[in-house]
Amino acid sequence: RIVANMIDSPMVNMVHVSTAIHRLARLRHTLDDNTERDYAATLDNLANKTETLLDDRTGGQAIANIFWATAKLWPRAPMLQRLLPTLSHSSKWVAGGFSPREASNIIW
């Protein structure tokens, strides 16, 4: 509900959306079919907002976190899969600046 309420705010930035996606992935074991169905529109809006905000200024940590979270949420939030081409493109700009942990999150 928090994500649904905040997603349209002009104050929301890449830190907010990457944190939201990351937290959802950490809590993925609590997602069931009903929750997935009830919040499908919110997840779709989150994916849309993320696509809008991803650019060549996006930091390595945000990109790595979203890559990792997308992999973890793959079966429960397929709408996030569409972020992969944009994430791949954005990661080209920061590839040399990834920390070892960020790089391993992407490869994982």
Side-chain angles (χ1 to χ4, degrees), residues 11-65:
M11 302 296 286
V12 172
N13 61 31
M14 183 50 69
V15 172
H16 297 119
V17 297
S18 66
T19 301
I21 294 171
H22 185 268
R23 292 293 181 257
L24 287 170
R26 300 275 292 175
L27 298 170
R28 70 192 173 280
H29 64 280
T30 66
L31 298 175
D32 58 19
D33 291 339
N34 291 333
T35 304
E36 182 182 342
R37 184 178 51 252
D38 293 346
Y39 292 98
T42 299
L43 288 171
D44 194 53
N45 289 340
L46 183 58
N48 288 338
K49 186 71 163 191
T50 304
E51 280 182 311
T52 300
L53 294 174
L54 272 170
D55 61 19
D56 60 345
R57 296 170 293 171
T58 303
Q61 183 177 0
I63 292 170
N65 285 348

Side-chain angles (χ1 to χ4, degrees), residues 3 26 28 40 43 54-55 72 78 82 89 95 97-98 105:
V3 172
R26 300 275 292 175
R28 70 192 173 280
L43 288 171
L54 272 170
D55 61 19
K72 288 293 189 179
R82 72 172 187 260
H89 178 75
F98 281 130
N105 278 349

Side-chain angles (χ1 to χ4, degrees), residues 74-85:
W74 193 273
R76 287 283 178 197
M79 68 285 294
L80 295 178
Q81 295 172 18
R82 72 172 187 260
L83 297 175
L84 293 175

